[in-house]
């Protein structure tokens, strides 16, 4: 292997819990809810799939279903999809829906998996080039910079910047070309078997990890170092 591509959410980083997400936004807005009501609202938002990087929607409302399918193809579609889902849950102030969306885009809302630093630095030490290939509607580079991981990433291929999303092979092609890497010598690591598995169409090897809370997945990425030899 000469290069490794990584997915972002659920692979290298994990979003905060729905309750932490909602609490932070309510506190910033000066809105107080009883603890039990806050917990209920957080569970409802999670069921709705309103937290990007969190659980998928249990049910897609008719007005959101179409935009959900292509949500990662532009910043506008991404915002529309997730604020549309969050609006299924009644909140005290309509401004909170946009505030929730803005909250998930800041570095403080994300944490790298415990082994991410060691694995990325290990790949750099071995001379492998690293790319991040993400279905997303906003610039995640500041998240990597804030957490000290940007120095280990050589290229980013973000769906909203190109107008197509995984599993479309074109997004993986963008990443491989940016790394000057032959797909046959490239490993794609992700948590979504359909989206990330699209790299196989180019001839990339593919390895999957489970999308779990960080505390439940302390060392799954370390297998990557064994796979690249």
């Amino acid at each position: 292997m000469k290069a490794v591509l990584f997915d972002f959410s659920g692979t290298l980083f994990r979003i905060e819990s729905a309750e932490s997400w909602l609490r932070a936004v309510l506190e910033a807005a000066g809105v107080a809810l009883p603890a039990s009501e806050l917990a209920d609202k957080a569970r409802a938002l999670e069921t709705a799939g309103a937290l990007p990087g969190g659980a998928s929607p249990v049910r897609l409302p008719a007005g959101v279903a179409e935009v959900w399918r292509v949500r990662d193809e532009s910043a506008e579609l991404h915002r529309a999809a997730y604020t549309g889902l969050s609006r299924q849950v009644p909140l005290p102030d309509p401004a909170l829906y946009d505030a929730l969306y803005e909250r998930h885009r800041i570095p403080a809302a994300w944490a790298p998996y415990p082994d991410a630093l060691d694995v990325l630095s290990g790949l750099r030490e071995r001379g492998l080039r690293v790319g991040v290939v993400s279905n997303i509607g906003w610039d995640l580079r500041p998240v990597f910079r804030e957490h000290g991981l940007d120095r280990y990433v050589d290229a980013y291929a973000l769906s909203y910047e190109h107008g197509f999303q995984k599993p479309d092979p074109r997004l993986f092609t963008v990443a491989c070309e940016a790394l000057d890497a032959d797909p046959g010598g490239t490993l794609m690591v992700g948590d979504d078997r359909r989206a990330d598995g699209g790299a196989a169409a180019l001839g990339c090897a593919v390895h999957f990890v489970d999308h779990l809370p960080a505390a439940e997945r302390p060392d799954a990425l370390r297998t990557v170092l064994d796979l690249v030899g």
Side-chain angles (χ1 to χ4, degrees):
M1 292 295 170
K2 302 297 183 182
V4 181
L5 307 178
F6 288 94
D7 174 51
F8 166 57
S9 174
T11 300
L12 288 175
F13 281 83
R14 173 76 182 197
I15 190 68
E16 65 187 330
S17 70
E19 189 164 336
S20 171
W21 174 54
L22 177 59
R23 181 182 295 108
V25 168
L26 292 175
E27 289 178 352
V31 177
L33 289 181
S36 60
E37 185 177 354
L38 189 153
D40 288 344
K41 295 289 188 185
R43 281 193 293 270
L45 286 165
E46 188 167 16
T47 299
L51 175 58
S56 297
V58 171
R59 178 186 63 83
L60 281 173
V64 179
E66 183 57 29
V67 71
W68 177 260
R69 185 180 63 82
V70 293
R71 65 192 181 280
D72 296 311
E73 292 183 4
S74 75
E76 295 76 17
L77 289 168
H78 194 268
R79 179 183 287 272
Y82 283 102
T83 56
L85 291 173
S86 66
R87 287 189 174 94
Q88 306 306 304
V89 180
L91 294 175
D93 182 345
L96 293 171
Y97 299 111
D98 282 321
L100 284 169
Y101 186 82
E102 293 302 326
R103 166 72 189 182
H104 101 274
R105 302 199 304 171
I106 68 172
W110 296 88
Y113 278 92
D115 52 349
L117 173 59
D118 288 346
V119 170
L120 291 175
S121 63
L123 292 172
R124 174 58 56 86
E125 290 170 1
R126 297 178 188 203
L128 278 80
R129 295 178 64 76
V130 170
V132 171
V133 186
S134 178
N135 282 350
I136 199 164
W138 49 275
D139 186 3
L140 52 72
R141 295 173 183 88
V143 177
F144 279 78
R145 287 196 294 269
E146 181 70 20
H147 291 281
L149 298 185
D150 182 62
R151 72 189 73 177
Y152 303 110
V153 179
D154 299 294
Y156 295 88
L158 309 182
S159 61
Y160 85 102
E161 294 182 335
H162 299 281
F164 38 79
Q165 60 191 33
K166 299 179 291 185
D168 192 321
R170 289 179 293 175
L171 199 60
F172 303 105
T173 298
V174 166
C176 288
E177 289 179 349
L179 297 174
D180 193 24
D182 179 353
T186 300
L187 173 66
M188 174 66 204
V189 182
D191 67 292
D192 187 318
R193 279 160 174 75
R194 177 179 178 274
D196 299 314
L202 288 185
C204 298
V206 182
H207 175 68
F208 297 108
V209 293
D210 293 324
H211 188 164
L212 295 170
E216 298 176 25
R217 212 198 76 191
D219 57 5
L221 290 171
R222 295 188 186 279
T223 302
V224 172
L225 296 176
D226 297 327
L227 293 172
V228 299

